[in-house]
Amino acid sequence: MDVFLTSRIASDVLGGLTNGVIYGLVALSLVLVWRSTGILNFAQGAMPMLATYVGMVTFGHYFGYWICVVIAVLVGFLIGAGTERVLVRPLYGKPEINPVVVMVGFLTVLEAVAAAIWSSTPRSLTTPFSPIDFHLSGKPFALSAFSLYQIITAVVVMVAVAVLFRFTNLGLQLRASALAPEVSRLLGVRVNRMLTLGWTLSTGVGTITAILVASNFFTGLTPQVMDGIFAFGFIAAAVGGLDSPVGSIVAGIVMGIILQFVGDYVNSNAIILVALAILIVSLMARPNGVFSPVKTRRV
Amino acid sequence: MNRQRSPRGLSAAGIVIAVAVLSLLVTPSVRDGVALAILMMLTVTSALILLPSELRRARPVLTRAATSTMVVSVTLVATFFFSSTTDFNLATGAAMAVTLVGLSFLTGVSGQVSIGNGAFMGVGAFTMAIWSNHHATTPIAVTLLLSVVAGALVGFLLGLPATRLRGPYLAGMTLAFAVAFPAILTYFNSWTGGDGGLQLPNAANPPHWLNALFVHGTSSLTSSTLWLTDITIVAAGVAFFFMANLFSSRVGRAMRLVRDNEVAAELVGVNLNRTRVLAFVISSAYAALGGALWTFLNNSVTPATYSFALSIVILSVIVIGGIGTIPGALIGGLVYAYSTNVINWITNQTGLNPQGNFASQLNGIIFGGLLIVTMMLAPRGVAGVYYTLRRQRASKRGDVASPPKETYAEA
């Protein structure tokens, strides 16, 4: 067993899982926004990035790690809700390129503002967890206290979102207003509030993701830190289906593992090429996502 | 008709005088043949522009050819007098405008949007550089065409899934491509020259036929970089001419129908998939041409130019100029060419520390902010505002309202 756990294959699987949960979380936050408002949020990486800067850097001078995490997530909630109210609300019912363009503009502004305030120099957040791999009978295997923290946090967030949507009254209202806004409104659901809540939740999930990414000793926090992660997260969401939370999470994890193998056995620059290839092939085969039911268009 | 005659006559006289003055000024610096050619071009085109509107309506292609020739020749003549900095800015803007008109076409006629056109520019730019390094003797026009083909091929590959997709998937995919592009360049670094990029082998040597047209030594054309500017502008003019025709061609109409009503398009026999992919391929090919022209203009290419940030800037300037319109692309190209100057001016005026964090990020804040504000208040940009004002004025005068220019983004 020890031999297997320290083998190259096992370490790729574990490393891939650690990255994959991050892609899955980004994909999940994209799906939350897509399902509630039908918008692909291109600022889904940048909004949490800003929340992380505010929470972890600005408040990091005064408080410890865990208090800062709470503050950052609260700031993320605020940014999400504010964005939906101010920027997104005027865009409902407009051609689909309008929200795309506005959110790309928002992404640019957020990254520029963050770089203007905190500079582009990477900042490392001090985490309570060591990034050094555990050892089994003298050999390292690809799991550290930090990656365990990352995986467990991600799973907890995913389960929490699932519980919220499946088993609570609020979740039912959220699903109803996404599925049939008019009917929900007639039945007394405050649909507008639910849309705001969708964005709030999504940015909250995104902020936890960004904190995990930024807490990673090897990446640190920069204004552009989420650009690449967003690309992988989008690919995961598109492969798994923008309608399907479970599908996009699974796609994210599977992709993380595949890409880890590509990076290990081929070349780290080939990773994004393979990811693009996966995206193209899977979209050709299953346009609505691997895990989404095939939709028929009614004329 | 009567009412319009006098301003038309006045502008005709103005153009003829301008042509005469310009050709007198240009003649000493070039051979007679060139001066004559410029003069003829200008005269022919000004004559065509002044044709009665019935004839212009009856012969749209001819009118478009005349318009492009006139704009190009006026710009060419102007480049003789501008400083080399201005020339370089104009050519940079012209190449950017080629990219922009491709994106404008994609959005305007097929309702899709690409966030990855910076990467497609990079495809063209690097194809140009790689080919020139291996086959230095290939004529410029052929190398440019090869770059366009390369851009079209990559566009086809990425556009294939677009046949089956709806919604903003294409935007997301092009974004992923733009983010991935630097890594792709590094992956092929034996071809692309890694971080340092590539130099063109025969830098700053004008081709023989161009040398033969101009007097050696006397003209600034061969001794400086003016010929680079002028070839770029001519190429941009040709590209714009084709695009103007495409906008109102059968294919263009089919694309607009696909955008507005898929079912109707299918009923009249338009192939939805082919049309969507074609729009994307054309847009990528135009972006590649813009990038190839940049490589040609700078005699070199570096991967840092074609970062994700470039793709966002491209989207910003075309939205500001007017996405879905042709004049919007020209405005966007100018905005791009002078944005650095304007931002430096703002930095100086506001007394910001030019090395400071804020000044270095001003670019992103202004472009991103303008992107949001334009989309919220005037989604068709400067060109759209102009069309709206013109229509309002026309209807106030009681004329038959000219049909509105179609664009996808709505107010």
Side-chain angles (χ1 to χ4, degrees), chain B residues 102-322:
Chain B
L103 182 55
S104 201
F105 174 75
L106 178 70
T107 308
V109 306
S110 85
Q112 296 167 301
V113 71
S114 160
I115 313 177
N117 273 29
F120 284 108
M121 277 186 100
V123 171
F126 274 91
T127 312
M128 176 96 186
I130 292 168
W131 185 270
S132 305
N133 270 304
H134 288 84
H135 309 272
T137 52
T138 317
I140 296 164
V142 177
T143 324
L144 285 177
L145 276 180
L146 281 172
S147 315
V148 170
V149 171
L153 280 178
V154 178
F156 179 69
L157 194 66
L158 277 177
L160 266 183
T163 55
R164 328 217 14 201
L165 293 175
R166 304 178 46 76
Y169 277 94
L170 188 75
M173 205 163 71
T174 51
L175 178 131
F177 179 54
V179 171
F181 192 65
I184 296 175
L185 287 180
T186 316
Y187 184 73
F188 294 106
N189 60 6
S190 57
W191 287 81
T192 59
D195 286 344
L198 291 170
Q199 293 282 325
L200 291 199
N202 45 0
N205 286 331
H208 297 296
W209 56 267
L210 203 64
N211 267 326
L213 276 178
F214 292 88
V215 182
H216 288 277
T218 55
S219 158
S220 61
L221 188 91
T222 47
S223 56
S224 76
T225 52
L226 187 57
W227 67 280
L228 295 171
T229 304
D230 285 350
I231 287 187
T232 307
I233 288 170
V234 170
V238 174
F240 264 83
F241 167 66
F242 281 116
M243 190 49 94
N245 283 323
L246 202 54
F247 256 90
S248 46
S249 68
R250 198 185 148 86
V251 179
R253 285 198 305 271
M255 285 173 179
R256 270 191 283 262
L257 187 57
V258 172
R259 177 197 75 193
D260 294 334
N261 192 337
E262 281 185 0
V263 180
E266 259 182 322
L267 281 176
V268 295
V270 175
N271 185 331
L272 294 185
N273 292 346
R274 200 188 299 156
T275 312
R276 280 210 194 95
V277 175
L278 189 63
F280 190 65
V281 167
I282 290 172
S283 145
S284 321
Y286 264 70
L289 178 60
L293 287 174
W294 270 10
T295 299
F296 169 71
L297 196 63
N298 293 299
N299 279 313
S300 65
V301 57
T302 45
T305 314
Y306 300 99
S307 61
F308 178 45
L310 177 68
S311 296
I312 292 186
V313 169
I314 290 174
L315 188 65
S316 308
V317 289
I318 186 60
V319 166
I320 293 166

Side-chain angles (χ1 to χ4, degrees), chain A residues 99-114:
Chain A
V100 169
V101 171
V102 168
M103 292 328 283
V104 169
F106 195 42
L107 156 80
T108 318
V109 170
L110 289 179
E111 285 185 358
V113 165

